Amino acid sequence: MAKLFINEKNKKGHINPEIYGHFSEHLGRCIYEGLYVGEDSDIPNVNGMRKDVVDALKEMQVPVLRWPGGCFADEYHWKDGIGPKESRKKMINTHWGGVVEDNSFGTHEFFELCDQLGCKTYVNGNVGSGTVQEMSEWVEYITFDGVSPMADLRRKNGHEAPWKIDYFGVGNENWGCGGSMTPEYYANLYRRYQTYVRHYDHAAPIKKICCGANVADYFWTEGVLKTCFELPQPNNIPTGYMDGLSLHYYVHPGGWDNKGSATEFDEAVWYTTMAKALYIEELIVRHGAIMDQYDPEKKIGMIVDEWGCWFDVEPGTNPGFLYQQNTMRDALVAGVSLNIFNKHCDRVKMACIAQMVNVLQSVILTEGPKMILTPTYHIFHMYKHHQGAELVESCIEDNRMIGVDDACKVPFLDESVSVDRDGYVNVTLANLSTDEDAPVEMSFMELLPKEITAAVLKGEMHAHNTFDEPENVKEENFTAYEVKDKKVCFTAPAGSVISFRIR
Ligand code: AHR
């Protein structure tokens, strides 16, 4: 029997709600069809936003949304996406399928969506093909309250009051699709561009995100920080140029050139996928160690603003649209990744799964007027009480390594635990085995559990929801536990995730 010890008295750090963030790009059917159908659509909508999708996302609790890309961000010219829709410029979305982008979803629509979701805003600016002036004017258009050319243009386009930008990304993947730059070259551009991301509302300064590394590119992290991180001055006034440094990491079980099917895989591939998901912890630790050299007080957040499973596209769909199904395997990847982010909440301040709807590891898939919730949706829903809670100490004794071949073993169980402001202890526990149930004895330092609610997400490893069978995989109440003094005993089914809320 595995023993899960929880010291609910030992608080280890604040879990920023933004760790449960999302990403929406002008890619495939994420924005168009997935989130936005336009005011004239037969699909029920509020100001063009799909009502079914927005309602489900609100129930899941979205803390922050990143937009407009991704690679799209560095070829997006925001002025094409404002003003009367019929006269908005059309462009080719060269990165994603070469389709026509009609710009009917632009700045006003993004802020409307975030308003409906009740979430913070993360706007990603264009460094790769845009100018300093363009970026600077976008910030002025969105956030300036006084009289100025851009603020007046916003008013002319129907929005009197400024909006709030919570986070602003100065470029995306500038080592690759965002301009193929070297770290030093990008970092110098970062210094320059970010200067003009003005804080018009001093009470609500914009948090600036610098483009960080891809996977294990420690050379990039070092090169960028060396060039554009600035230490506090002798008078102790920090003059750092950034609030966050991004990290992108996707799980491809067979590597970039052999991503594999989203729904057809064997046990060996299951365990490889788990091992690759767990690898993000090493990336956080090693990039974090470089950040520590410049920022030992951890004032800069690590912003994992793209993560998740990236498999082959669903057969028969546009290869440029990155549409993939989502199984129990994705649920486990989400479960362990979020546990890792929680456990590194001293450094990880935001994470955005890629992407919100119909692209890569989505929480929602749509087909015309139909919508399904994926297994990953249920994980985010089950984990939502961690948002804004305090991480507490936990560990698992007798946690064996499992797998089908010696070269690839993963821990049997994976957990994270927090205490929220209502005094509930939130436990999320994943059983990574494809076939072995796990008897668990969970014990607390002092807590005598009196009130428990629990949910489980389980199913055969390939289980997933379809438009014909939308409830194959869904969250269920979990009641098969026994309480003895400070202990709760239960069996975690093979390939499952369980969430407890206890006080
Ligand atoms: O999420 C899909 C793409 O992956 C993004 O546009 C890009 O930033 C990354 O390479």
Side-chain angles (χ1 to χ4, degrees), residues 35-50 85 88 104-105 108-109 112 116:
L35 290 160
Y36 178 78
V37 286
E39 293 82 347
D40 301 332
S41 172
D42 291 339
I43 298 174
N45 69 84
V46 176
N47 297 330
M49 312 300 154
R50 278 184 81 128
K85 292 200 178 173
R88 291 189 192 176
S104 55
F105 188 99
H108 291 245
E109 290 74 23
E112 167 67 20
Q116 290 189 24

Side-chain angles (χ1 to χ4, degrees), residues 146-296:
V147 175
S148 82
M150 291 302 116
D152 291 348
L153 183 59
R154 182 192 69 236
R155 289 188 192 97
K156 187 172 149 233
N157 286 332
H159 210 273
E160 178 60 37
W163 295 284
K164 181 166 187 283
I165 299 177
D166 294 290
Y167 297 91
F168 194 90
V170 181
N172 167 74
E173 296 197 350
N174 303 94
W175 36 261
C177 66
S180 308
M181 302 176 194
T182 63
E184 288 76 14
Y185 181 73
Y186 166 73
N188 278 314
L189 285 186
Y190 176 83
R191 292 170 74 111
R192 177 167 168 234
Y193 276 66
Q194 68 81 37
T195 308
Y196 302 93
V197 176
R198 303 282 189 207
H199 300 305
Y200 291 107
D201 179 357
H202 289 281
I206 298 168
K207 289 199 164 78
K208 299 172 191 175
I209 313 297
C210 176
C211 169
N214 188 35
V215 197
D217 188 354
Y218 304 111
F219 177 75
W220 179 273
T221 301
E222 180 65 55
V224 163
L225 286 175
K226 188 173 68 196
T227 311
C228 68
F229 178 83
E230 189 145 282
L231 293 170
Q233 298 299 293
N235 62 5
N236 251 350
I237 299 172
T239 57
Y241 294 121
M242 67 180 80
D243 298 288
L245 182 66
S246 67
L247 170 67
H248 288 183
Y249 176 58
Y250 287 99
V251 171
H252 316 288
W256 177 254
D257 295 326
N258 182 21
K259 301 184 187 74
S261 161
T263 49
E264 286 165 29
F265 50 87
D266 60 17
E267 279 187 81
V269 173
W270 164 283
Y271 286 111
T272 307
T273 311
M274 294 305 136
K276 292 207 169 182
L278 291 162
Y279 173 59
I280 201 166
E281 182 153 36
E282 179 178 328
L283 296 175
I284 292 169
V285 169
R286 294 186 62 183
H287 285 290
I290 300 170
M291 293 172 80
D292 285 349
Q293 290 168 20
Y294 294 85
D295 173 38

Side-chain angles (χ1 to χ4, degrees), residues 23 25 27 66 69-72 96 172-173 175 177 248 250 256 306 310 322 354-355 359-360:
F23 170 38
E25 180 167 6
L27 194 178
R66 177 176 182 237
C71 295
F72 183 78
W96 306 120
N172 167 74
E173 296 197 350
W175 36 261
C177 66
H248 288 183
Y250 287 99
W256 177 254
E306 288 187 31
W310 186 328
L322 309 186
Q355 298 191 5
V359 171
L360 301 178

